[in-house]
């Protein structure tokens, strides 16, 4: 039993999941979404009536249980939830807790999978991300589509007579409690989680032999095709590692990071993203610099989009880091479309860190940040300070030029005569 608003830690989650590791049937299906909260089940099922997105048996039973808990509660209730940091480590927790045979389900056709009943099978189903920044009806449709995927996968397993357990969770919460006494605590926890986001999962690495030649990390790696289709590649790249990097190339002067995805979203069968980097000596600075020359997107092997990256560079011994990288004019490191096809794509990368040369001990070197030492705010402060200092200096100078009279009229004597030379 847990009190209301309790946030389950990673250690507590491990204890709660312990029965899954000791039961006879050790087939586990993990449905992983980008954003989800307990409130989504009650809010979406009640607000949209006949358009309730939860139609499969697993989610229906969960909603019925939630409604019974809420109706039996004598007052407003804040349900327990799992810490977002614990869910980010969930896949590693499951892998450490047993000898699982990990399978990433990408084409959602479970009937073609060869599952050995004597093994402990862990199926990871990457659900499509919820539409971010769009209308809420888009979120409703995305959850409804994910609900259909969950129903289809579980039905296929039941028809094959496979006993299994299901975990439906997400990487981060989609809602925050409205209770004022809980909001402050949750907000602090979320801010702390954001600060530690760089430690949530290791960077993607490309190796040649036993040496790492490319390191790539981002807290959010998303694309938008034709200003409508959102493609969130964060989980596939860094969590489930459902990405092919075999086409990447490394050398002392040129490096290419190739990320290939199969069926990232409906309507796109294949997607390849290439980061082309060079390492050159520049006489002006008398040192070598690594630069990201361009970013290329290849859709379905035929549609080619190219972006130039004029602002992404760092000393050859350093890595490059930037808070926001993308096609927006507001980002400090902008990707500039180089051909007509690139105009159809929007790229958003947050907390990007990349290094393609001189990697030591499989770790990022000191980061050269895209924000310079003199930001616009610093320049404004310097200019204003100089103007105020000049006004102060001029005022002091004028005051020092003032003189006082050293002779005065005597009413009993002759009038005071002051020569014009004085």
């Amino acid at each position: 039993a847990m009190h209301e608003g309790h946030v389950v830690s990673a250690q507590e989650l491990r204890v709660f999941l312990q029965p899954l590791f000791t039961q006879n049937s050790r087939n586990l299906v993990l449905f992983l979404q980008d954003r989800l909260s307990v409130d989504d089940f009650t809010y979406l099922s009640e607000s949209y009536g006949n358009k309730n997105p939860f139609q499969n048996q697993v989610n229906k039973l969960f909603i019925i249980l939630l409604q019974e808990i809420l109706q039996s509660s004598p007052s407003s209730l804040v349900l327990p939830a799992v810490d977002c940091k614990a869910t980010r480590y969930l896949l590693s927790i499951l892998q450490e807790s047993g000898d699982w045979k990990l399978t990433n389900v990408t084409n959602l056709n479970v009937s073609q999978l060869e599952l050995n009943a004597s093994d402990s099978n862990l199926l990871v189903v990457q659900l499509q991300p919820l539409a971010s920044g769009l209308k809420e009806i888009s979120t409703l449709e995305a959850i409804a589509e994910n609900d259909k995927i969950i129903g289809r996968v579980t039905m296929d397993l039941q028809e094959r007579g496979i006993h299994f357990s299901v975990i439906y969770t997400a990487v981060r919460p989609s809602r925050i409690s409205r209770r004022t006494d809980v909001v402050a605590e949750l907000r602090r926890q979320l801010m702390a989680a954001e600060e530690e986001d760089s430690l949530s999962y290791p960077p993607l690495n490309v190796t040649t032999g036993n040496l790492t030649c490319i390191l790539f990390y981002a807290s959010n790696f998303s694309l938008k095709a034709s200003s409508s289709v959102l493609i969130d590649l964060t989980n596939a790249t860094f969590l489930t590692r459902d990405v092919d990097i075999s086409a990447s190339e490394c050398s002392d002067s040129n490096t290419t990071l190739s990320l290939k995805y199969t069926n990232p979203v409906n309507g796109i069968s294949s997607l390849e993203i290439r980061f082309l980097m060079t390492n050159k000596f520049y006489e002006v600075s008398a040192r070598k610099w690594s630069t990201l020359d361009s970013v290329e997107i290849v859709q379905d092997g035929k549609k080619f989009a190219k972006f130039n990256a004029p602002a992404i560079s760092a000393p050859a011994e350093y890595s490059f880091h930037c808070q926001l990288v993308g096609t927006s004019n507001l980002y400090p490191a902008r990707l500039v479309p180089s051909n007509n096809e690139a105009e159809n794509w929007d790229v958003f990368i947050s907390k990007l860190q990349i290094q393609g040369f001189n990697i030591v001990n499989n770790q990022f070197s000191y980061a050269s940040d895209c924000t310079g030492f003199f930001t616009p705010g610093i320049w404004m402060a310097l200019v204003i300070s100089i103007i105020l200092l000049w006004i102060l200096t001029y005022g002091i100078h004028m005051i020092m030029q003032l003189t006082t009279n050293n002779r005065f009229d005597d009413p009993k004597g002759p009038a005071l005569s002051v020569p014009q030379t004085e």
Side-chain angles (χ1 to χ4, degrees), residues 143-188:
I143 291 183
E145 183 63 28
N146 290 339
D147 182 80
K148 293 178 182 178
I149 294 174
I150 295 174
R152 185 160 62 247
V153 172
T154 54
M155 186 62 67
D156 288 343
L157 293 175
Q158 289 176 354
E159 291 177 352
R160 298 176 61 183
I162 298 176
H163 299 282
F164 61 92
S165 300
V166 172
I167 297 178
Y168 180 25
T169 187
V171 179
R172 60 183 64 90
S174 61
R175 298 174 183 272
I176 301 178
S177 172
R178 294 182 179 180
R179 273 192 43 182
T180 56
D181 57 343
V182 181
V183 166
E185 180 181 357
L186 291 178
R187 189 171 296 164
R188 287 194 297 269

Side-chain angles (χ1 to χ4, degrees), residues 18-52:
Q18 194 61 36
L20 296 177
F21 313 138
T22 57
Q23 61 185 2
N24 295 329
S25 175
R26 297 190 60 189
N27 296 308
L28 182 61
V29 184
L30 174 61
F31 293 101
L32 193 60
Q33 197 167 278
D34 61 336
R35 295 182 290 111
L36 186 68
S37 293
V38 177
D39 295 341
D40 292 332
F41 292 92
T42 55
Y43 174 74
L44 295 176
S45 61
E46 294 176 357
S47 300
Y48 292 93
N50 297 331
K51 294 184 179 180
N52 181 2

